[in-house]
């Protein structure tokens, strides 16, 4: 992924959603490649790599996290997002990926017509990639500085939302806490999907299987192109670097506008 290319290449429209598929692989489980694959077969994908310039979506995810894990605990269900609220995020997308996996149970129930695709990496291979590429930057000293000193100046809730989503999903408020709970959370996430989703609505897909099982399951024609591969680690690093540069520049410009010269 070079530059600022989007994973979702098709425009939003009245017919680009709601979701036909919910892909419940977690961050760094081939989610960017799966998003590109959905895009190729005509399903507009939602992925957080496309959200760096849409702060309004981050604000909605922060609200969803607050409803799901109020004060860091599991909700009793009375204030969870409604279908209409999820439509504010996903109503014009045909495929849910990545960050949506943290809300998989709610989304599976909100969109009963959508099929569910499970993409899972071996825990021991996945955890270092997720820790170093996603969780550590979010809870780093630089992340804390951005959260409290830079992002409030420009009204960006992206990092706040990510801390709440990761903290709620893993039941922790620090990187060390996430690490302690990671294996148990990983196991529970995938086991809960088997219990919740009927077999005819569920596909366990492995990257490398190509188009046939995915397209057959979703009732789509097999494209005459290779299955996409996106180096998610490189794409995320590139976007994180660009985001830090842009928010710092925006915050500096905002501060300068307050200072009389």
């Amino acid at each position: 992924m070079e530059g600022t290319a989007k994973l979702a290449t098709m425009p939003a429209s009245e017919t680009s959603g709601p979701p036909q598929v919910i892909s419940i692989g977690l961050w760094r489980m081939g989610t960017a490649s799966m998003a590109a694959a959905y895009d190729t077969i005509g399903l507009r994908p939602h992925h957080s790599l496309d959200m760096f310039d849409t702060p309004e979506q981050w604000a909605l995810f922060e609200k969803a996290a607050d409803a799901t894990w109020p004060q860091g605990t599991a909700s009793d269900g009375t204030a969870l997002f409604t279908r209409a609220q999820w439509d504010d995020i996903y109503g014009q997308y045909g495929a849910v990926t990545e960050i949506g996996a943290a809300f998989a149970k709610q989304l599976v129930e909100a969109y009963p017509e959508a099929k569910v695709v499970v993409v899972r990496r071996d825990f021991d291979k996945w955890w270092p990639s997720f820790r170093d590429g996603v969780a550590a930057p979010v809870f780093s000293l630089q992340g804390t500085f951005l959260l409290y000193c830079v992002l409030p100046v420009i009204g960006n809730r992206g990092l706040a939302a990510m801390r709440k989503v990761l903290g709620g999903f893993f039941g922790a408020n620090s990187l060390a806490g996430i690490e302690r709970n990671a294996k148990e959370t990983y196991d529970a996430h995938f086991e809960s999907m088997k219990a919740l989703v009927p077999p005819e609505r569920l596909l366990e897909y492995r990257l490398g299987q190509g188009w046939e099982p995915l397209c057959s399951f979703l009732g789509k024609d097999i494209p005459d192109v290779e299955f996409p591969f996106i180096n998610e680690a490189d794409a995320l690093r590139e976007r994180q670097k660009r985001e830090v540069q842009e928010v710092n520049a925006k915050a500096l410009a905002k501060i300068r506008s307050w200072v009389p010269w």
Side-chain angles (χ1 to χ4, degrees), residues 94-161:
V96 175
T97 71
E98 203 231 21
I99 192 172
F103 303 94
K105 183 176 185 297
Q106 293 179 60
L107 294 173
V108 166
E109 293 173 347
Y111 299 105
E113 68 281 6
K115 293 186 175 181
V116 178
V117 174
V118 178
V119 181
R120 178 182 351 192
R121 287 180 67 187
D122 174 77
F123 177 82
D124 291 331
K125 294 179 180 178
W126 166 75
W127 167 248
S129 175
F130 167 78
R131 177 195 60 210
D132 297 343
V134 179
V138 168
F139 288 93
S140 66
L141 288 175
Q142 182 186 45
T144 300
F145 175 77
L146 289 170
L147 178 64
Y148 292 108
C149 300
V150 178
L151 295 175
V153 175
I154 59 173
N156 186 305
R157 302 299 300 170
L159 191 54

Side-chain angles (χ1 to χ4, degrees), residues 3 13 29 35-36 66 146 149 247:
S13 70
M29 291 188 178
D66 286 337
L146 289 170
C149 300
V247 299

Side-chain angles (χ1 to χ4, degrees), residues 46-258:
H46 185 284
H47 192 288
S48 71
L49 282 174
D50 285 353
M51 286 171 55
F52 281 100
D53 54 358
T54 55
E56 66 279 1
Q57 283 210 352
W58 284 115
L60 290 172
F61 274 109
E62 183 177 17
K63 290 180 181 179
D66 286 337
T68 305
W69 305 287
Q71 288 79 52
T73 61
S75 171
D76 63 5
T78 58
L80 295 177
F81 260 30
T82 64
R83 164 69 182 257
Q85 287 173 300
W86 284 120
D87 278 346
D88 288 340
I89 298 176
Y90 292 117
Q92 293 186 314
Y93 291 89
V96 175
T97 71
E98 203 231 21
I99 192 172
F103 303 94
K105 183 176 185 297
Q106 293 179 60
L107 294 173
V108 166
E109 293 173 347
Y111 299 105
E113 68 281 6
K115 293 186 175 181
V116 178
V117 174
V118 178
V119 181
R120 178 182 351 192
R121 287 180 67 187
D122 174 77
F123 177 82
D124 291 331
K125 294 179 180 178
W126 166 75
W127 167 248
S129 175
F130 167 78
R131 177 195 60 210
D132 297 343
V134 179
V138 168
F139 288 93
S140 66
L141 288 175
Q142 182 186 45
T144 300
F145 175 77
L146 289 170
L147 178 64
Y148 292 108
C149 300
V150 178
L151 295 175
V153 175
I154 59 173
N156 186 305
R157 302 299 300 170
L159 191 54
M162 273 299 293
R163 281 201 174 188
K164 289 181 178 181
V165 172
L166 292 179
F169 183 74
F170 287 97
N173 58 9
S174 67
L175 181 60
I178 289 175
E179 184 153 17
R180 282 194 301 271
N181 298 343
K183 183 62 165 66
E184 181 180 353
T185 302
Y186 168 99
D187 289 338
H189 174 70
F190 290 108
E191 288 304 316
S192 69
M193 289 299 102
K194 291 181 181 180
L196 180 65
V197 183
E200 65 273 12
R201 194 182 162 197
L202 184 72
L203 172 68
E204 296 204 36
Y205 180 82
R206 295 190 310 277
L207 288 173
Q209 287 184 302
W211 288 113
E212 198 284 327
L214 185 66
C215 291
S216 176
F217 177 66
L218 297 176
K220 300 290 185 178
D221 293 334
I222 296 176
D224 190 23
V225 294
E226 291 187 4
F227 197 94
F229 170 75
I230 294 175
N231 188 315
E232 198 169 331
D234 288 349
L236 184 58
R237 277 194 296 268
E238 177 186 325
R239 290 301 177 95
Q240 287 172 339
K241 180 180 178 181
R242 180 172 66 87
E243 175 73 355
V244 169
Q245 291 172 341
E246 289 187 2
V247 299
N248 282 332
K250 288 178 181 178
L252 181 59
K254 187 77 170 180
I255 292 169
R256 282 175 172 167
S257 72
W258 299 337

